[in-house]
Amino acid sequence: MSLNLTPSGERLHIGIFGKRNAGKSSLINALTNQNLAIVSEQKGTTTDPVSKAMELLPLGPVVMIDTPGFDDIGTLGAQRVQKAKQVLNKTDIALLVVDAAIGITDEDVSLWELMQAKKLPSMLVFNKCEAVAEMQQALNTVAALKLTKNIMFVSAQAKTNINELREAIAKLKPEDEEKPLLDDLIAPMDVVILVTPIDSAAPKGRLILPQQLVLRNVLDNKGMALVVQESELGAALAKLAVKPRLVVTDSQAFGKVSKIVPDDVPLTSFSILMARYKGNLYNAVKSVTMLDKLQDGDKVLISEGCTHHRQCGDIGRDKLPAWIRAYSKAEPSFSWTSGTEFPQDLSPYKLIVHCGACMLNEREIIYRNKCAIDQNVPMTNYGIAIAYMHGILQRSVKPLPGYAELLQK
């Protein structure tokens, strides 16, 4: 996959934090050699987090996030600070930018401690180093060493030490962990059938992102992919000379597809694979039984990571609520969030049903999962919930090592 085509959820997220006028936006422009962020002498120029997917060598595909100043004031300022704090939840590498002429302040120390509490790979960057004498740099260094050894003096304006900063950022990259999509489920030359309904909610002329990722993963593992709609699935199975190693379906077609695919052929969904890939499948499987306990008036949050235009028949707005009502025989109260919005206070909800999170990076979905666990609110997944309500959850997780045993317990 071309670096420029790497989905946002698969990119390393680099957050730039600090006080107003520390030079955060100027630093992003210097790091990228582009005028991506608006720069002004006026405090508070950046009023909302701004994300830009790009290439940053030697790291490769990244998302750079410029944030409002952590010392913003007033009612609106407090809201901007809260938005900046939310960015920490999806940041893989954090840079705390300090005006070298001012030095480290109490606000900087508080922000640094917050980064450490979230266990973020972090660096302290003194900007505007051209404006201070050697004695001031020495004093800044002494103060910084009380916080960290990851210190860099730069000048975004004069481009001093910018290449060195790029190299230092690359060294902060977290070690890649094994995140299997299909890698442990198929072998070279295995046939994998991908059932991809084409409806009004699908982007015109394209497959949705989970389908793209799974298809590419089949090819990366030297497998053979057969892509069909559910209406052609029966004919496709009949024409195959060998039994498919796996069938992966869109969650909303689970009920129909499970009746077509023979019991001896492993079956799962794109949403379930994505939940395992993003790290929240275990809790999703444990939490799904809350569907059996829903009562009239119970609040259910349906959360999506993307912000696509909702149409009639949308899975999150229409189909899932209808399935939940029919299954639970209750009338819950539904709420929805999308994109980067996710409530801090989850206590009003009896259940959260999250999408496959293909548009969110792993750190963001792990953060959301932890919030739900910490507040004792069950959070399941589209694919898990739909499979459970159709009575095929055991079958749909059976291909995944360890999950069938979890259900038996």
Side-chain angles (χ1 to χ4, degrees):
M1 183 182 292
S2 165
L3 291 179
N4 289 325
L5 298 178
T6 303
S8 175
E10 301 298 301
R11 291 172 178 255
L12 198 72
H13 285 52
I14 302 174
I16 314 295
F17 303 90
K19 295 171 60 176
R20 292 173 296 167
N21 263 23
K24 301 183 297 296
S25 300
S26 298
L27 184 61
I28 286 182
N29 290 344
L31 283 169
T32 61
N33 283 320
Q34 301 178 51
N35 290 322
L36 297 179
I38 297 175
V39 176
S40 169
E41 291 297 324
Q42 181 176 341
K43 283 188 174 183
T45 301
T46 303
T47 57
D48 290 287
V50 179
S51 299
K52 176 67 176 178
M54 56 165 301
E55 314 306 322
L56 183 66
L57 296 177
L59 280 173
V62 301
V63 174
M64 301 286 291
I65 311 174
D66 192 10
T67 62
F70 253 72
D71 61 333
D72 214 334
I73 57 176
T75 303
L76 284 177
Q79 294 179 23
R80 292 166 185 160
V81 171
Q82 184 58 40
K83 286 286 187 182
K85 286 182 178 179
Q86 289 178 356
V87 173
L88 285 168
N89 300 325
K90 62 181 176 182
T91 296
D92 297 301
I93 295 175
L95 303 186
L96 173 55
V97 182
V98 175
D99 186 333
I102 297 174
I104 297 174
T105 65
D106 290 341
E107 290 95 339
D108 296 317
V109 173
S110 296
L111 179 51
W112 181 263
E113 290 175 347
L114 182 57
M115 291 175 178
Q116 305 319 299
K118 292 182 176 292
K119 299 180 179 179
L120 289 178
S122 311
M123 175 170 289
L124 189 58
V125 181
F126 287 95
N127 189 28
K128 308 180 185 179
C129 67
E130 79 283 358
V132 300
E134 291 184 6
M135 180 59 71
Q136 181 61 46
Q137 287 199 24
L139 293 173
N140 286 343
T141 301
V142 170
L145 286 173
K146 296 178 182 178
L147 299 177
T148 179
K149 293 181 180 179
N150 287 327
I151 309 165
M152 182 74 69
F153 284 86
V154 305
S155 169
Q157 182 177 8
K159 303 296 176 64
T160 304
N161 289 336
I162 296 301
N163 286 333
E164 290 79 1
L165 179 57
R166 293 192 190 102
E167 297 288 341
I169 294 172
K171 292 179 181 178
L172 291 176
K173 181 182 178 182
E175 290 292 328
D176 290 329
E177 297 181 9
E178 282 294 322
K179 299 190 301 178
L181 199 52
L182 291 175
D183 309 74
D184 57 338
L185 305 180
I186 64 173
M189 301 307 294
D190 277 346
V191 175
V192 180
I193 297 181
L194 308 180
V195 185
T196 59
I198 304 298
D199 56 26
S200 59
K204 188 173 180 60
R206 293 181 286 138
L207 298 176
I208 62 176
L209 185 55
Q211 296 165 0
Q212 297 177 40
L213 292 174
V214 172
L215 174 58
R216 175 56 192 258
N217 199 243
V218 173
L219 299 176
D220 286 341
N221 284 281
K222 311 299 182 185
M224 297 183 290
L226 175 59
V227 184
V228 298
Q229 297 190 55
E230 71 271 30
S231 52
E232 283 69 51
L233 177 58
L237 286 166
K239 289 186 176 182
L240 283 176
V242 296
K243 184 171 67 175
R245 177 66 187 86
L246 181 67
V247 175
V248 185
T249 181
D250 189 279
S251 296
Q252 59 187 310
F254 239 148
K256 184 176 181 180
V257 169
S258 66
K259 296 174 182 177
I260 299 173
V261 178
D263 290 339
D264 61 345
V265 174
L267 170 67
T268 191
S269 76
F270 294 103
S271 183
I272 290 173
L273 290 175
M274 288 302 300
R276 184 175 78 132
Y277 183 61
K278 296 291 185 178
N280 67 318
L281 183 55
Y282 183 87
N283 191 49
V285 171
K286 287 184 61 178
S287 299
V288 73
T289 54
M290 179 54 69
L291 287 166
D292 296 320
K293 305 170 186 176
L294 290 178
Q295 300 178 9
D296 292 346
D298 282 347
K299 292 187 176 182
V300 176
L301 175 65
I302 297 179
S303 186
E304 292 188 315
C306 59
T307 55
H308 66 270
H309 177 66
R310 271 73 181 174
Q311 302 181 49
C312 182
D314 181 80
I315 185 171
R317 289 277 175 174
D318 299 318
K319 293 180 180 178
L320 262 175
W323 285 327
I324 291 173
R325 291 188 187 101
Y327 178 82
S328 66
K329 305 294 191 294
E331 284 294 331
S333 172
F334 292 95
S335 300
W336 293 266
T337 62
S338 60
T340 58
E341 296 302 318
F342 191 74
Q344 286 187 306
D345 181 10
L346 301 173
S347 60
Y349 302 104
K350 291 291 185 179
L351 177 66
I352 303 167
V353 185
H354 206 289
C355 70
C358 62
M359 297 301 293
L360 303 176
N361 67 340
E362 183 180 4
R363 182 174 283 272
E364 171 79 4
I365 196 63
I366 289 176
Y367 160 76
R368 295 185 180 193
N369 196 51
K370 186 176 185 302
C371 284
I373 292 172
D374 289 347
Q375 298 181 50
N376 200 30
V377 179
M379 184 168 85
T380 191
N381 160 276
Y382 279 24
I384 291 292
I386 295 170
Y388 187 73
M389 290 186 287
H390 283 88
I392 55 173
L393 180 56
Q394 185 78 33
R395 182 184 183 186
S396 65
V397 300
K398 187 177 180 180
L400 311 179
Y403 287 95
E405 292 82 355
L406 173 62
L407 279 179
Q408 290 171 359
K409 293 179 182 178

